[in-house]
Amino acid sequence: NVCRLGMIGVGLFLLVALLTAADPRPEPDDEAVARGRFLYRVYCMNCHGEEGHGNGVSAPLLKIEPTDLTRLARKNDGAFPAERVYGIIDGREEVRGHGSRRMPIWGFSFQELNSDVNQEEQVRQKILHVIDYLESIQGQARR
């Protein structure tokens, strides 16, 4: 009985760990979304547009039309694809319209130059802020 209870306890612990690992990001607050919006405007707006609809000032010059970033959840059965977006921004996931995996050198662009300090956590936070912002604009109609 003690062994059985111990196994049930371990099973419940693993289940809770799996459920919380599915989306380890905390619920974004207004400040995180605002930071993400700022970064979006600096790095993404030229192609994806001020409101994320893929109609930025550079869009007509591109061979491949930029994605409407307000429809990511809709294209993913209603669930915002945060992990995929993270991979695209940091360059791990290739996107044809971005060129080689070096496109979103955003992972590199988010680093401070001339710093020999490991900036991985700061870059990660910046990417997560952009994701928080993109998640906040899902389903917004064009004006």
Side-chain angles (χ1 to χ4, degrees), residues 14-122:
L14 291 174
L15 178 62
V16 168
L18 284 173
L19 290 175
T20 56
D23 189 6
R25 294 183 314 124
E27 193 67 32
D29 58 20
D30 291 342
E31 183 179 337
V33 172
R35 287 176 189 232
R37 178 174 165 72
F38 173 80
L39 291 166
Y40 171 86
R41 293 175 67 85
V42 170
Y43 295 101
C44 313
M45 187 173 75
N46 267 354
C47 296
H48 292 284
E50 187 171 346
E51 296 179 9
H53 295 294
N55 59 348
V57 296
S58 298
L61 306 172
L62 303 174
K63 291 181 180 181
I64 298 173
E65 185 177 330
T67 299
D68 181 339
L69 299 174
T70 67
R71 307 181 104 204
L72 298 175
R74 183 180 303 162
K75 291 180 179 180
N76 196 50
D77 296 325
F80 183 76
E83 283 185 41
R84 181 163 189 266
V85 172
Y86 191 101
I88 290 168
I89 294 171
D90 84 350
R92 291 180 213 195
E93 188 157 330
E94 198 163 328
V95 175
R96 242 181 89 218
H98 291 163
S100 72
R101 287 185 181 196
R102 292 185 49 123
M103 155 282 190
I105 15 187
W106 306 135
F108 295 119
S109 295
F110 288 160
Q111 294 182 15
E112 293 182 31
L113 299 175
N114 301 321
S115 175
D116 59 356
V117 176
N118 183 342
Q119 299 177 43
E120 187 173 341
E121 184 55 32
Q122 290 87 344

